Amino acid sequence: MLSLATALPAAIPSPSQGVWHLGPVPLRAYALAILLGIVAAVLLTQRRWKERGGDPDQVLEIAFWAVPFGIVGGRLYHVVSSPDAYFGAGGDPWKAFAIWEGGLGIWGAIALGAVGAYIGCRRQGVSFPVFADALAPGLLVAQAVGRLGNWFNQELFGGPTTLPWGLQIDDAHLPAGYEPGTLFHPTFLYELLWNLAGAALLIWLDRRFRLGHGRVFWLYVVVYTTGRLWIELLRIDPAEMIGPFRLNVWTSIIVGLGALVAFVVVGRRHPGRETTPDLRGSGTQDADVEEHGTAR
């Protein structure tokens, strides 16, 4: 009997390896994907920051604070939300520090990364909401690129599928109970494409409606959590469950609804866009706001 991988030649193969060595130094695809994502986010944010009247070099200064905070926060969330692998039966607590093996929770990364970004913005004397709006599309791009690391690690894929873009998984990474050759939903690819499309949407909406005061960032949260919700429902990797759903499903619902409310409330209170990112001379209304306070 032919396996699904043989019957469907259009299936997506998994990389044969995720680590290369330059002498004693390991180069891990997961880490490279994270770094490339950060670089892409910084470059895009620099461009958008300049369009809002900021100095592109300030983005690097703020990233100096935001990136380390984000990585620590992402790892903390991952360990807390998946404790069995580290503190359960047969777990290894020291593995909690092995970030190169994969495992960053976006919720923790955004939460602590925002703290770092806020510190950086205060040190640069610029508005945090303006920076968050400039950064939002870049975050989606960074997350899209970072998902390539999951592909190389052959992890976090979805359930079995007969679709022609099913993902091939090596026997060494095959979940228990599945036959060799079974194809799985490539959730890394779904999220990658969703995030890139979301980044393009945010940029268009921002230019079309001249959003400000953090509204682009809140839209980013809505876009991301909407995609994460349906993608999370496809995944079969072990996860903490609350009732019938995974923890990240509930988190997506709660955080997404909260972001939607924040977007509406902020829009009613501040319909325009800031005239400058500089706190020392920041305006609260858009330069193109009409007499009655409605943005053109």
Side-chain angles (χ1 to χ4, degrees):
M1 181 176 179
L2 292 176
S3 68
L4 289 177
T6 302
L8 297 172
I12 301 173
S14 289
S16 59
Q17 64 183 98
V19 183
W20 301 269
H21 289 84
L22 292 178
V25 180
L27 296 179
R28 301 181 185 275
Y30 184 86
L32 292 176
I34 296 296
L35 291 175
L36 287 175
I38 292 172
V39 170
V42 168
L43 293 176
L44 179 56
T45 303
Q46 283 183 315
R47 180 177 177 179
R48 288 175 50 78
W49 186 243
K50 183 177 181 180
E51 291 173 351
R52 290 180 180 250
D55 181 353
D57 288 340
Q58 291 174 323
V59 175
L60 294 175
E61 295 292 337
I62 297 170
F64 176 81
W65 290 90
V67 171
F69 272 72
I71 292 176
V72 172
R75 189 60 177 178
L76 284 174
Y77 182 89
H78 168 74
V79 172
V80 170
S81 61
S82 305
D84 291 345
Y86 309 102
F87 307 108
D92 182 358
W94 289 106
K95 288 285 187 178
F97 299 97
I99 192 172
W100 54 86
E101 294 184 358
L104 289 175
I106 186 60
W107 316 113
I110 295 299
L112 270 191
V115 173
Y118 179 79
I119 294 173
C121 286
R122 297 296 295 183
R123 291 176 63 88
Q124 293 297 307
V126 297
S127 168
F128 176 67
V130 178
F131 181 79
D133 281 343
L135 171 65
L139 284 175
L140 283 173
V141 172
Q143 290 168 238
V145 177
R147 281 303 178 191
L148 292 173
N150 300 135
W151 179 42
F152 276 90
N153 282 357
Q154 301 193 45
E155 61 183 2
L156 308 186
F157 42 82
T161 180
T162 58
L163 293 170
W165 55 81
L167 179 66
Q168 298 176 9
I169 297 296
D170 294 343
D171 291 351
H173 297 87
L174 195 67
Y178 292 97
E179 294 293 329
T182 301
L183 301 182
F184 298 89
H185 279 287
T187 50
F188 85 90
L189 181 61
Y190 297 164
E191 190 166 329
L192 185 154
L193 295 176
W194 179 275
N195 287 348
L196 291 180
L201 177 64
L202 290 186
I203 292 172
W204 180 81
L205 290 173
D206 188 27
R207 291 176 176 174
R208 174 65 178 82
F209 298 103
R210 296 186 63 77
L211 303 173
H213 301 278
R215 284 185 291 166
V216 184
F217 179 81
W218 291 122
L219 270 184
Y220 147 74
V221 178
V222 172
V223 169
Y224 177 72
T225 53
T226 301
R228 184 64 183 266
L229 176 61
W230 67 267
I231 293 171
E232 193 73 27
L233 290 172
L234 294 174
R235 283 170 45 173
I236 59 173
D237 53 286
E240 291 296 309
M241 303 293 292
I242 300 179
F245 299 122
R246 299 156 66 96
L247 172 61
N248 283 332
V249 170
W250 291 110
T251 304
S252 295
I253 294 172
I254 295 171
V255 174
L257 290 176
L260 183 60
V261 170
F263 174 80
V264 173
V265 171
V266 172
R268 289 179 176 177
R269 293 181 177 178
H270 306 286
R273 177 190 285 183
E274 302 90 337
T275 57
T276 174
D278 195 334
L279 286 176
R280 291 164 292 185
S282 61
T284 58
Q285 295 295 323
D286 191 286
D288 294 329
V289 170
E290 295 179 349
E291 181 180 354
H292 298 293
T294 302
R296 293 175 183 168

